[in-house]
Amino acid sequence: MLIINENIEKAKLKSGRNDDVKLIAVTKTIDVERIKEAIALGVKDIGENKVQELQTKIPLLGDNINYHMIGYLQTNKVKYIFDKISLIHSLDRISLAKEIDKRAKSKNIIVDTLVQVNVAEEDTKSGLKVEEVIPFIEEVLKLENIKVRGLMTIAPFTDDKKLLRNIFRTMSKIKDDIISRNYERISMDFLSMGMTNDYEIAIEEGANLVRIGTGIFGKRNY
Ligand SMILES: *Cc1c(COP(=O)(O)O)cnc(C)c1O
């Protein structure tokens, strides 16, 4: 925990940044008691990749935490979580956007989302291709109760630092491109990128949300 916070600060210094980088503790498969220990150490944001786990953990952890949905979201499960989470990081298709919008409308709320981009075009990962992002965002713009607040990516698991840096840099470029288009209802507040393996590089390239699991809780045994 403490080491990670230090490393985040170091990476910020290295890149001359003084804006906020928020740590999201990824708690998938981690039980509530251990999550509470992390909360006692200062964790305020929690990321989960399964709706089911969010549904069980949210009532146990309470309202003072920001919950993030970071995994593939099935359309038929939106209804269970859309009004309980701060940010959906995994918006990757129009059918999902429409369902979120419909549910949000029924409660008269706006749901914040990030568009997931699969920069490396890995078959095993969801997310849009780089060139699909702008047309997708222009479609989502038409939906009034869903708001795009930024972009998210999961980089390949590799030691190739140059490749990782290129991927994160591409994300920053897409972000800048979107900003330059001055869309009325889109604010590029968040770049969610960087996990245990690569968060320092991600921060150097502009990430302001990092999602860290193993680095806080140790290796998961699936
Ligand atoms: C599991 C997961 C993480 C955290 O990965 P670690 O390597 O354990 O830090 C981050 N983002 C997503 C989408 C994940 O599924």
Side-chain angles (χ1 to χ4, degrees):
M1 256 315 293
L2 298 174
I3 291 278
I4 294 192
N5 284 324
E6 263 174 44
N7 290 343
I8 289 176
E9 287 311 312
K10 274 188 208 151
K12 276 172 61 179
L13 271 180
K14 195 169 162 191
S15 50
R17 295 177 54 182
N18 51 16
D19 55 329
D20 266 2
V21 174
K22 196 189 269 188
L23 169 65
I24 299 173
V26 176
T27 52
K28 59 192 185 200
T29 77
I30 304 299
D31 62 49
V32 168
E33 289 317 308
R34 289 187 68 205
I35 301 174
K36 283 184 174 164
E37 289 170 17
I39 291 171
L41 290 174
V43 163
K44 292 184 182 65
D45 288 77
I46 277 180
E48 287 280 349
N49 67 343
K50 291 209 168 74
V51 168
Q52 174 81 55
E53 255 184 280
L54 279 164
Q55 279 181 283
T56 29
K57 285 172 181 173
I58 291 174
L60 298 171
L61 296 170
D63 294 337
N64 292 328
I65 302 297
N66 302 315
Y67 298 97
H68 299 258
M69 176 60 191
I70 61 173
Y72 180 79
L73 179 53
Q74 283 175 263
T75 308
N76 63 359
K77 293 195 173 156
V78 169
K79 56 178 177 283
Y80 301 121
I81 52 149
F82 73 99
D83 56 347
K84 298 177 183 65
I85 48 186
S86 304
L87 195 57
I88 295 172
H89 293 230
S90 43
L91 182 64
D92 61 354
R93 58 199 191 278
I94 282 295
S95 57
L96 177 61
K98 285 185 173 158
E99 172 66 13
I100 294 169
D101 180 63
K102 187 181 97 187
R103 295 285 169 186
K105 200 162 275 154
S106 76
K107 284 223 163 178
N108 204 17
I109 59 172
I110 308 259
V111 172
D112 285 339
T113 62
L114 305 179
V115 173
Q116 183 172 349
V117 191
N118 186 357
V119 182
E121 298 190 15
E122 290 178 281
D123 291 337
T124 51
K125 297 202 171 110
S126 40
L128 300 170
K129 293 182 185 169
V130 171
E131 67 271 19
E132 292 171 338
V133 175
I134 297 283
F136 179 77
I137 278 185
E138 291 182 350
E139 276 303 300
V140 177
L141 263 178
K142 298 173 189 161
L143 307 170
E144 289 175 348
N145 290 69
I146 181 169
K147 191 165 157 71
V148 173
R149 299 285 305 271
L151 306 171
M152 178 271 225
T153 197
I154 306 171
F157 188 74
T158 171
D159 290 332
D160 185 343
K161 295 201 160 50
K162 209 171 149 204
L163 173 70
L164 291 168
R165 194 174 293 281
N166 271 327
I167 285 170
F168 298 136
R169 201 164 280 181
T170 301
M171 290 290 287
S172 280
K173 281 197 191 125
I174 306 171
K175 177 188 155 185
D176 291 342
D177 182 11
I178 295 167
I179 291 173
S180 75
R181 289 166 192 255
N182 287 315
Y183 297 117
E184 215 164 88
R185 287 189 51 252
I186 302 222
S187 44
M188 285 285 116
D189 302 312
F190 302 117
L191 261 188
S192 169
M193 53 191 201
M195 309 175 22
T196 301
N197 181 51
D198 55 23
Y199 65 98
E200 284 138 312
I201 303 173
I203 291 169
E204 286 167 30
E205 297 301 329
N208 60 1
L209 296 177
V210 291
R211 312 176 308 265
I212 299 184
T214 316
I216 296 174
F217 299 104
K219 274 215 161 60
R220 292 175 291 270
N221 20 349
Y222 287 111

